[in-house]
């Protein structure tokens, strides 16, 4: 895979010398639909206009340091300059596109006290970041990022109870004016304005700094403010995997004096579908730091934990043993699935070198290699932290392809740095990484392309113990959590149930919604290590389903959203090489949506589609496969049952 950049970066205008008076500056997006205005007087405020309408009212921003500098307290401008950035990024791992255009206008405002403020205006959003040029290490006492909206605005608010969290939230729609300063959410959070304008708030390039959360104003006003986990001074280990902060500092970060801070990101559109096409978080991240990345290979993964290794129709006892994992290897090989995961139980959770005696690791690894199937190993983050060099060296010696690191549950500065350390050390040994128990993506996958995916999503695993993963949730997270980057939702359930029939079952789990709802997830949901969560024994019984799952890829050359409404439905088309794949999903409302195929080339095309059966509203496993010929001038009626879905391959 190639990683090259072609860029045109123009310095349009520079003002030098000390400007002691107030300044009102602005930056427009290339298409001029978005304008960010920066007002610098006794403090620094910004506001945003979209198509001539103010969508974010004047909102204050600042950084406070222990050296007495507060960037928002009577700032004195030294100079400012405008840049036009227009470059093409060729991602190592293609999530949405084989090529990404990074096109924006930028202003860099330099201040007398050795700090600067950068704003960028893209066609699909606004971002800003601070930078400092201090001579010695600095301590960040606090950061203020505020967002002022209208009284009528609402927000999909993934509420958290504390900074000890897996970030696996649901997305209730709340009135911003009702959110108090005692409430807090992780990000992305999605603001909805009555006229259809959408403003997603998140961050990018989070390195050596804590993650940002959002809280309300507490004054019955439509205001949101940043909130950060403090720097941990003391920690308490609660069990083999959970380490809580027991004593916190009165600051949020200790860091280099000369550095750039994370980007604050607002993705802005009046088209719900455009949210799914945005790459802002990726574009703003630090470029690839890996010299050798050709070994990074995305692919599907057969996963053991969700289905409780509960295979059947075999002559041995299933469970955590060599024979069971050989069965998984055989399944993966039969359907050209590149990887299997050995999840919890393959080793002692507190000693990664103490392998379960019922698993002959050398025999299993040799068997998998012979079948051309790679092994990914689950690890507790804390155990990996303690055994980093020793364990990763052993994994490299074994020929393991990747690690699934779990239960971090924090994003204070110390834990954020752990993520980067894992990425670096894994890359040295040609290991890919899947983070679970994690915070949302912030672009680390661009900086270290061996970071393939992460959880931080209320995903299918919850069906084992709760009724919270509804079809409505499934068609909300593409517009919220997925805006930050790939999500390891772990789709692929073969036991599908209607809303009335669903019940949580730990060792034989089912999903809410139809079979085709599950199939569509492989197109709608982005994850370069995409799981097949169900039991291989179940998959073997579903040859028509496996015809689709065997073919569907995990990375994409092109993405087109064909129909979308947050929380209601989504239909998306993605191209890989010479084939198009379409996935459609709905909430618990049945839908009929006509889609156009003008994205196809001229000539005849064959479509194979998987659609909800006539009785899918009563028996959620009911589906039908159809084949037909069509052209780019044809239209297709996508019919979906309650909780339904639709999937297709066009070639």
């Amino acid at each position: 895979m190639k990683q090259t950049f072609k860029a045109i970066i123009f310095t349009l205008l520079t003002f030098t010398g000390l400007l002691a008076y107030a300044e009102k500056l602005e930056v427009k997006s290339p298409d001029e639909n978005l304008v960010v205005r920066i007002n610098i007087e006794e403090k620094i405020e910004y506001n945003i206009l979209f198509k001539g309408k103010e969508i974010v009212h004047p909102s204050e921003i600042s950084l406070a340091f222990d050296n007495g500098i507060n960037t928002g307290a009577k700032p004195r401008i030294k100079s400012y300059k405008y840049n036009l950035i227009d470059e093409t990024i060729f991602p190592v791992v293609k999530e949405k596109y084989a090529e990404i255009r990074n096109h924006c206008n930028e202003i860099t405002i330099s201040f007398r006290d050795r700090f600067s403020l950068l704003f960028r205006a893209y066609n699909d959003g606004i971002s800003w970041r601070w930078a400092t040029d201090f001579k010695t290490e600095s301590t960040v006492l606090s950061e203020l990022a505020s967002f002022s909206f209208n009284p009528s605005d609402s927000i999909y608010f993934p509420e958290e109870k504390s900074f000890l969290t897996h970030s696996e939230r649901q997305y209730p729609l709340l009135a911003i004016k009702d959110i108090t300063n005692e409430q807090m959410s992780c990000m992305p959070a999605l603001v909805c304005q009555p006229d259809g304008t959408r403003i997603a708030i998140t961050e990018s390039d989070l390195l050596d700094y804590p993650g940002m959360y959002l809280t309300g104003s507490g004054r019955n006003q439509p205001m949101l403010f940043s909130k950060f986990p403090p720097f941990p001074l003391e920690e308490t280990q609660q069990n083999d995997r959970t380490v809580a902060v027991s004593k916190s500092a009165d600051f949020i970060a200790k860091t280099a004096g000369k550095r750039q801070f994370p980007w604050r990101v607002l993705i802005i559109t009046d088209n719900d579908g455009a949210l799914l096409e945005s790459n802002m978080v990726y574009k703003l991240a630090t470029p690839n730091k890996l010299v050798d990345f050709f070994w990074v290979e995305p692919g599907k993964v057969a996963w053991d934990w969700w289905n409780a290794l509960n295979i059947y129709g075999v002559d041995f006892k299933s469970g955590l043993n060599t024979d069971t994992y050989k069965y998984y290897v055989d399944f993966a090989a039969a359907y050209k699935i590149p990887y299997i995961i050995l999840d919890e139980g393959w080793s002692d959770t507190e000693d990664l070198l103490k392998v379960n005696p019922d698993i002959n690791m050398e025999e299993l690894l040799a068997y998998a290699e012979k079948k051309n199937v790679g092994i990914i190993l689950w690890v507790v983050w804390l155990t990996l932290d303690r055994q980093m060099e020793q364990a990763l060296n052993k994994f490299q010696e074994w020929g393991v392809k990747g690690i699934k690191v779990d239960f971090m549950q924090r994003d204070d500065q110390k834990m954020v740095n752990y993520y980067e350390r894992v990425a670096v050390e894994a890359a040295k040994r040609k290991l890919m990484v899947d983070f679970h128990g994690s915070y949302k993506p912030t672009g680390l996958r661009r900086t270290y392309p061996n970071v393939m995916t992460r959880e931080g999503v209320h995903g299918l695993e919850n069906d084992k113990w709760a009724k919270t993963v509804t079809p409505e949730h499934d068609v909300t997270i593409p517009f919220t959590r997925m805006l930050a980057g790939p999500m390891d939702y772990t789709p692929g359930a073969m036991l599908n149930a209607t809303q009335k029939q669903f019940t949580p079952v730990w060792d034989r789990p089912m999903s809410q919604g139809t079979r085709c709802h599950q199939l569509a997830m492989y197109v709608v949901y982005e994850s370069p290590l995409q799981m097949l969560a169900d039991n291989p024994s179940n998959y073997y019984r579903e040859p028509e389903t496996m015809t689709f799952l065997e073919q569907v890829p995990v990375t994409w050359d092109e993405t087109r959203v064909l129909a979308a409404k947050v929380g209601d439905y989504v239909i998306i088309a993605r191209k890989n090489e010479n084939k198009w794949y379409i996935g459609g999903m709905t909430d618990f409302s049945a839908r009929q949506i006509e889609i156009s195929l003008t994205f196809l080339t001229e000539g005849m095309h064959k479509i194979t589609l998987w659609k909800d059966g006539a009785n899918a509203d009563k028996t959620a496993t009911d589906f039908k496969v159809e084949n037909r010929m069509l052209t780019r001038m044809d239209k297709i009626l996508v019919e979906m049952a309650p909780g339904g879905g639709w999937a297709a391959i066009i070639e």
Side-chain angles (χ1 to χ4, degrees):
M1 287 172 280
K2 267 191 173 180
Q3 168 105 354
T4 58
F5 297 86
K6 51 185 180 181
I8 309 168
I9 304 179
F10 299 108
T11 300
L12 299 181
L13 189 59
T14 303
F15 291 90
T16 57
L18 178 62
L19 305 178
Y21 47 83
E23 279 289 331
K24 296 183 183 295
L25 306 170
E26 72 174 33
V27 188
K28 294 183 179 180
S29 60
D31 64 7
E32 300 190 352
N33 283 330
L34 274 170
V35 181
V36 59
R37 292 175 175 167
I38 309 111
N39 185 35
I40 303 170
E41 297 186 52
E42 295 296 302
K43 56 187 177 181
I44 300 177
E45 291 182 320
Y46 75 96
N47 65 308
I48 300 174
L49 284 74
F50 179 50
K51 296 183 178 179
K53 169 196 164 190
E54 188 174 55
I55 58 169
V56 179
H57 303 299
S59 305
E60 189 177 351
I61 57 175
S62 64
L63 267 181
F65 298 90
D66 67 339
N67 59 9
I69 293 176
N70 184 323
T71 64
K74 297 182 179 180
R76 293 172 292 175
I77 297 175
K78 182 179 179 182
S79 64
Y80 57 90
K81 65 179 180 180
Y82 287 92
N83 289 335
L84 166 65
I85 298 174
D86 194 354
E87 64 181 10
T88 300
I89 303 169
F90 297 88
V92 172
V93 178
K94 302 176 293 185
E95 294 159 17
K96 292 180 173 74
Y97 305 100
E99 299 181 10
I100 299 171
R101 187 183 185 191
N102 187 24
H103 185 207
C104 66
N105 289 313
E106 177 186 74
I107 187 172
T108 301
I109 311 167
S110 300
F111 295 86
R112 189 175 181 181
D113 289 327
R114 304 182 71 89
F115 66 87
S116 57
L117 175 61
L118 290 77
F119 268 90
R120 286 185 178 180
Y122 289 88
N123 289 344
D124 60 343
I126 299 293
S127 61
W128 79 84
R129 79 183 321 172
W130 296 98
T132 54
D133 192 21
F134 303 149
K135 293 181 179 179
T136 59
E137 182 183 72
S138 64
T139 298
V140 183
L141 301 179
S142 63
E143 178 181 350
L144 171 62
S146 65
F147 309 86
S148 177
F149 295 105
N150 301 309
S152 57
D153 293 349
S154 55
I155 185 171
Y156 286 94
F157 193 76
E159 189 164 358
E160 298 282 8
K161 299 301 182 184
S162 77
F163 290 124
L164 184 67
T165 173
H166 289 264
S167 299
E168 298 178 16
R169 303 278 74 86
Q170 294 178 287
Y171 286 83
L173 186 62
L174 308 179
I176 297 176
K177 64 182 178 62
D178 294 336
I179 298 171
T180 71
N181 57 7
E182 295 181 352
Q183 292 175 274
M184 178 180 76
S185 83
C186 58
M187 300 191 299
L190 180 64
V191 175
C192 298
Q193 299 189 328
D195 68 351
T197 300
R198 309 295 188 217
I199 307 164
I201 306 173
T202 190
E203 62 184 331
S204 180
D205 214 26
L206 178 63
L207 300 169
D208 194 29
Y209 200 77
M212 190 172 95
Y213 293 73
L214 296 173
T215 187
S217 67
R219 298 191 299 271
N220 198 31
Q221 295 180 3
M223 290 282 295
L224 298 171
F225 297 95
S226 58
K227 188 173 183 178
F228 297 88
F231 187 84
L233 295 177
E234 295 179 7
E235 299 164 294
T236 300
Q237 183 176 344
Q238 297 180 344
N239 50 45
D240 65 345
R241 61 199 62 187
T242 301
V243 178
V245 177
S246 50
K247 183 179 179 181
S248 297
D250 58 358
F251 57 87
I252 62 174
K254 275 188 175 294
T255 189
K258 182 180 177 62
R259 66 160 295 175
Q260 292 181 314
F261 290 84
W263 288 101
R264 308 302 166 212
V265 181
L266 291 88
I267 302 171
I268 300 166
T269 182
D270 55 6
N271 175 359
D272 287 6
L275 292 169
L276 307 182
E277 296 174 344
S278 176
N279 267 317
M280 274 192 69
V281 171
Y282 188 92
K283 289 185 288 191
L284 290 164
T286 296
N288 175 22
K289 288 187 175 182
L290 299 186
V291 176
D292 174 15
F293 51 79
F294 296 98
W295 48 272
V296 175
E297 290 290 345
K300 293 189 287 287
V301 186
W303 184 38
D304 57 347
W305 185 86
W306 190 75
N307 57 76
L309 296 129
N310 195 11
I311 63 174
Y312 53 89
V314 295
D315 296 326
F316 55 85
K317 284 289 185 181
S318 65
L320 287 160
N321 56 54
T322 306
D323 286 337
T324 297
Y325 280 120
K326 282 185 174 181
Y327 182 89
Y328 277 78
V329 169
D330 288 341
F331 165 71
Y335 289 102
K336 300 180 179 63
I337 297 167
Y339 306 107
I340 71 165
I341 276 184
L342 275 60
D343 212 288
E344 183 169 4
W346 74 269
S347 73
D348 189 307
T349 59
E350 297 183 87
D351 185 355
L352 293 169
L353 303 177
K354 187 177 180 181
V355 179
N356 184 328
D358 293 327
I359 300 173
N360 186 322
M361 189 61 74
E362 285 76 12
E363 179 184 343
L364 177 61
L365 287 161
Y367 187 80
E369 183 178 15
K370 184 179 178 181
K371 297 272 187 171
N372 199 29
V373 174
I375 301 291
I376 296 172
L377 297 177
W378 176 91
V379 298
V380 172
W381 80 272
L382 181 60
T383 310
L384 180 65
D385 190 34
R386 292 170 174 167
Q387 297 182 303
M388 185 81 71
E389 185 172 356
Q390 195 178 6
L392 293 185
N393 285 346
K394 174 56 73 172
F395 297 166
Q396 183 182 32
E397 177 188 326
W398 280 342
V400 168
K401 301 300 182 183
I403 53 175
K404 177 180 175 180
V405 189
D406 207 349
F407 286 96
M408 291 75 71
Q409 305 175 78
R410 289 166 30 200
D411 59 351
D412 50 62
Q413 183 188 20
K414 183 177 179 181
M415 189 60 78
V416 168
N417 289 347
Y418 172 81
Y419 279 65
E420 185 173 12
R421 184 157 60 91
V422 169
V424 170
E425 293 302 318
K428 289 178 183 177
R429 298 160 177 88
K430 294 182 170 55
L431 295 170
M432 297 180 293
V433 182
D434 174 3
F435 286 117
H436 268 235
S438 62
Y439 60 88
K440 81 282 181 187
T442 58
L444 191 66
R445 65 197 187 279
R446 181 182 178 194
T447 311
Y448 301 100
N450 61 317
V451 176
M452 305 297 284
T453 190
R454 67 174 71 190
E455 195 180 26
V457 64
H458 193 73
L460 195 74
E461 67 177 18
N462 290 271
D463 282 339
K464 290 167 71 75
W465 58 78
K467 296 184 177 182
T468 52
V469 185
T470 64
E472 182 178 6
H473 172 75
D474 293 342
V475 293
T476 301
I477 55 177
F479 305 92
T480 49
R481 160 61 182 83
M482 201 172 77
L483 299 181
M487 56 185 194
D488 197 7
Y489 174 99
T490 67
M494 293 295 101
L495 304 179
N496 316 110
T498 65
Q499 189 172 18
K500 289 181 179 180
Q501 296 164 346
F502 177 82
T503 187
V505 179
W506 178 267
D507 57 357
R508 198 169 181 268
M510 65 187 77
S511 69
Q512 295 189 59
T514 70
R515 171 69 55 78
C516 290
H517 188 82
Q518 289 290 309
L519 294 187
M521 291 177 180
Y522 288 86
V523 181
V524 176
Y525 293 169
E526 296 161 7
S527 183
L529 284 180
Q530 186 63 277
M531 303 294 144
L532 273 72
D534 213 324
N535 188 336
S537 302
N538 289 343
Y539 288 128
Y540 278 131
R541 294 165 63 94
E542 301 288 347
E544 289 183 311
T545 295
M546 289 309 299
T547 299
F548 177 80
L549 292 180
E550 182 178 13
Q551 293 184 68
V552 66
V554 299
T555 58
W556 309 100
D557 297 323
E558 193 174 343
T559 292
R560 302 279 186 93
V561 178
L562 306 181
K565 186 176 180 182
V566 180
D568 287 346
Y569 57 86
V570 56
I571 303 176
I572 194 166
R574 302 190 194 264
K575 187 180 182 184
N576 180 285
E577 295 182 351
N578 62 346
K579 293 182 181 180
W580 283 91
Y581 301 79
I582 304 178
M585 300 166 62
T586 183
D587 58 7
F588 269 129
S589 297
R591 308 270 179 195
Q592 290 188 341
I593 301 173
E594 188 176 69
I595 60 172
S596 170
L597 301 176
T598 54
F599 55 86
L600 296 176
T601 56
E602 296 289 347
M604 298 300 296
H605 299 262
K606 176 187 175 183
I607 183 170
T608 304
L609 62 89
W610 289 253
K611 67 178 187 179
D612 293 330
N615 296 294
D617 59 332
K618 295 181 289 186
T619 303
T621 53
D622 188 27
F623 70 95
K624 184 178 181 181
V625 181
E626 292 182 357
N627 293 279
R628 69 179 80 155
M629 302 301 293
L630 46 74
T631 73
R632 66 187 305 271
M633 302 309 297
D634 290 319
K635 294 185 177 181
I636 295 179
L637 185 65
V638 175
E639 299 179 88
M640 295 180 283
W646 193 92
I649 302 174
I650 303 177
E651 53 189 314

